[in-house]
């Protein structure tokens, strides 16, 4: 009798405080079960056979972030390569328009909220990229004639297609449609199973979830995963043959952001090729007043390096922040190299900033992140609280509670919802 009672009792204790029998809690709080998807590992039930050459993943070590929620126009969020065949969009289009795959096409288009007739045009507006961070998405397998959603963590280096606002839309190697992760990126329980072993370099602090950029972009600004000193401007809807290079080592000063709203500060940083960081589990509201930045104004950074912004807690819409210590910036591009005069200019304006405004001005017609003048980025090797901006577009990284890894099967909380 004692033995029969003891086992259930242990499970009750684990579930209530340590997250165990079902793997559904983190520190007593509900955790979102997430299936790990490693680069190069075939899906168990893909839309299309991974061996048909639709896409090719790379070996990329996940880069550090400053805040787990990033918008799709964040400089250096995605990577690229000189190899133009990282994703064969034309072949995916043929597969999805083939009458023999009609049932798959219906399921695929339903996930993305389009009709089957719109598939060719939709694919023409997608752009292939390589993940530079372990990225949370709502993935979809194809089972029994339907798209089956599940939350997954895609390893950095996986090739995906992204839309004009930088949101993941499809996994290149198998065509699986992708939608945004709707859970809390800071409370996840990652299951490494089915050949997807925990990869080297996995860090909870490097996990991101992507939200759409405030506006559609004309170009994506990437970092070459094989050469972090090389930046890539890739027009939206192209596969790499129209890329333009720039030097990510070119340095530009951090602008004086004090007194601006968080929304204004973010736009100015992104337009200068710098990523926006913040402390806490969610980004500040767009109308929160900036009181400090780390590094401070005048510091020269490479393309894609983070500037952590602190806001006044009294106007941050519930998000209280204090000025960070002098810890320096994190460079998502690579080692900090000497300033160079080569390459296009990629930095924030150096003129005096206009006085702060209580309303967030509309961003420029062309997306800042699409084509910022080359600034600086971090080495390339390898929720979620929604952002309160207009058509949400950037992504600032969150580094709150660390996700947990679990080998036991997990119960996935389906997301409600699109590399």
């Amino acid at each position: 009798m004692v033995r029969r009672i003891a086992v259930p009792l242990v499970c009750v204790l684990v579930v209530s405080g340590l997250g165990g029998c079902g793997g559904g809690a983190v520190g007593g709080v509900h955790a979102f079960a997430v299936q790990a998807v490693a680069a190069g590992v075939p899906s168990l039930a893909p839309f299309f056979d991974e061996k048909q050459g639709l896409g090719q993943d790379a070996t990329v070590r996940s880069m550090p972030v400053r805040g787990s929620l990033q918008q799709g126009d964040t400089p250096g969020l995605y990577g690229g390569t000189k190899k133009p065949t990282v994703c064969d969009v034309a072949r995916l289009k043929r597969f999805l328009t083939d009458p023999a795959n009609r049932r798959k096409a219906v399921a695929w288009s339903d996930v993305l909220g389009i009709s089957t007739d719109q598939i060719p045009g939709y694919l023409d507006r997608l752009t292939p990229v390589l993940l530079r961070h372990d990225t949370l998405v709502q993935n979809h397998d194809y089972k029994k004639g339907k798209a089956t959603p599940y939350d997954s963590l895609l390893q950095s280096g996986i090739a995906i297609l992204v839309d004009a606002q930088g949101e993941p839309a499809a996994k290149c190697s198998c065509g699986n449609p992708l939608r945004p992760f709707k859970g809390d990126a800071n409370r996840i329980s990652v299951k490494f199973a089915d050949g997807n072993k925990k990869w080297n370099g996995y860090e909870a602090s490097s996990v991101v979830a992507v939200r759409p950029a405030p506006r559609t972009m004309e170009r994506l600004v990437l970092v070459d995963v094989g050469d972090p000193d090389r930046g890539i401007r890739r027009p939206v809807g192209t596969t790499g043959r129209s890329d333009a290079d720039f030097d990510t080592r070119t340095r530009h000063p951090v602008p004086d952001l004090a007194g601006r709203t968080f929304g204004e500060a973010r736009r100015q940083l992104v337009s200068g090729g710098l990523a926006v960081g913040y402390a806490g589990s969610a980004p500040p509201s767009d109308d929160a007043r900036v009181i400090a930045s780390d590094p401070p104004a005048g510091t020269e950074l490479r393309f894609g390096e983070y500037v952590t912004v602190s806001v006044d807690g009294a106007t941050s819409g519930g998000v209280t922040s204090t000025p960070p210590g002098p810890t320096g910036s994190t460079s998502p591009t690579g080692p900090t190299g000497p300033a160079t005069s080569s390459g296009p200019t990629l930095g924030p304006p150096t003129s005096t900033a206009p006085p702060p405004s209580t309303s967030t001005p509309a961003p420029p017609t062309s997306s800042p992140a699409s084509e910022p003048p080359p600034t600086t980025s971090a080495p390339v090797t390898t929720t979620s609280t929604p952002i309160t901006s207009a058509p949400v577009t950037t992504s600032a990284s969150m580094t709150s509670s660390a996700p947990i890894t679990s080998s036991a099967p997990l119960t996935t909380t389906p997301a409600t919802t699109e590399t």
Side-chain angles (χ1 to χ4, degrees):
M1 179 66 73
V2 172
R3 290 178 182 172
R4 290 179 181 175
I5 295 176
V7 173
L9 199 59
V10 170
C11 281
V12 170
L13 291 173
V14 171
V15 170
S16 63
L18 302 178
C21 290
V26 178
V29 182
H30 173 72
F32 295 87
V34 173
Q35 174 67 54
V37 177
V41 176
S43 299
L44 294 180
F47 265 70
F48 298 104
D49 191 334
E50 308 253 1
K51 298 179 180 179
Q52 293 184 335
L54 284 173
Q56 186 175 354
D57 298 336
T59 301
V60 178
R61 188 179 182 86
S62 186
M63 303 307 303
V65 295
R66 297 269 188 96
S68 58
L69 190 63
Q70 294 290 329
Q71 292 188 359
D73 61 351
T74 298
L77 177 64
Y78 295 122
T81 174
K82 292 180 180 179
K83 188 176 182 181
T85 55
V86 68
C87 197
D88 195 334
V89 183
R91 180 174 294 188
L92 179 58
K93 186 188 298 185
R94 287 198 299 271
F95 285 179
L96 287 169
T97 54
D98 187 336
N101 293 324
R102 170 72 182 176
R103 199 170 179 183
K104 288 184 178 181
V106 170
W108 195 90
S109 60
D110 283 348
V111 170
L112 295 165
I114 59 176
S115 67
T116 53
D117 292 341
Q118 293 174 312
I119 288 177
Y122 179 78
L123 287 171
D124 286 341
R125 296 189 296 274
L126 300 183
T127 310
V129 298
L130 292 167
L131 295 179
R132 299 185 70 224
H133 307 278
D134 296 338
T135 303
L136 290 164
V137 296
Q138 185 189 60
N139 205 341
H140 295 79
D141 275 344
Y142 184 75
K143 297 178 180 179
K144 298 180 180 180
K146 296 181 179 180
T148 305
Y150 64 101
D151 290 330
S152 65
L153 178 64
L154 304 184
Q155 183 185 5
S156 59
I158 287 179
I160 65 169
L161 291 169
V162 298
D163 65 18
Q165 288 180 282
E167 277 198 301
K171 187 172 182 287
C172 288
S173 64
C174 60
N176 283 6
L178 305 174
R179 297 299 293 166
F181 175 73
K182 293 301 184 184
D184 188 337
N186 301 286
R187 298 203 314 269
I188 61 174
S189 180
V190 183
K191 178 184 178 184
F192 293 90
D194 302 321
N196 298 284
K197 297 180 180 179
K198 187 174 180 179
W199 46 82
N200 292 331
Y202 168 74
E203 294 288 346
S205 60
S206 294
V207 171
V208 300
V210 181
R211 290 295 176 265
R215 292 201 174 207
T216 57
M217 297 178 281
E218 295 179 359
R219 294 173 179 79
L220 295 174
V221 186
L222 317 172
V223 175
D224 190 326
V225 298
D227 178 9
D229 291 340
R230 174 180 177 255
I232 301 169
R233 291 197 193 91
R234 177 168 296 170
V236 166
T238 65
T239 59
R241 290 182 172 83
S242 301
D243 288 354
D245 296 355
F246 65 89
D247 192 334
T248 63
R249 296 169 297 180
T250 301
R251 296 174 178 278
H252 296 273
V254 174
D256 185 359
L257 303 173
R260 289 180 171 271
T261 65
F262 180 76
E264 292 169 335
R266 186 192 177 280
R267 280 190 293 276
Q268 187 169 358
L269 289 171
V270 169
S271 68
L274 300 177
V276 183
Y278 57 89
S281 60
S285 61
D286 271 4
D287 61 354
R289 288 290 169 187
V290 175
I291 57 176
S293 68
D294 177 24
T299 306
E300 294 190 341
L301 302 176
R302 295 169 49 116
F303 171 81
E305 287 188 312
Y306 278 92
V307 177
T308 301
V309 176
S310 297
V311 300
D312 184 351
T315 59
S316 63
V319 178
T320 303
S321 179
T322 54
T327 55
S329 64
T330 299
S331 168
T333 355
T336 303
T340 172
S341 59
S342 62
T345 304
L346 228 178
T350 55
S351 59
T352 305
S357 166
T358 54
S359 61
T360 304
T365 53
S366 64
S367 167
S370 332
E371 185 176 19
T375 349
T376 50
S377 142
V380 182
T381 53
T382 345
T383 124
S384 74
T385 307
I387 299 180
T388 58
S389 83
V392 190
T393 141
T394 358
S395 27
S397 7
M398 300 160 121
T399 51
S400 128
S401 58
I404 325 179
T405 59
S406 168
S407 56
L410 303 169
T411 35
T412 304
T413 303
T416 56
T417 28
E418 155 206 103
T419 230

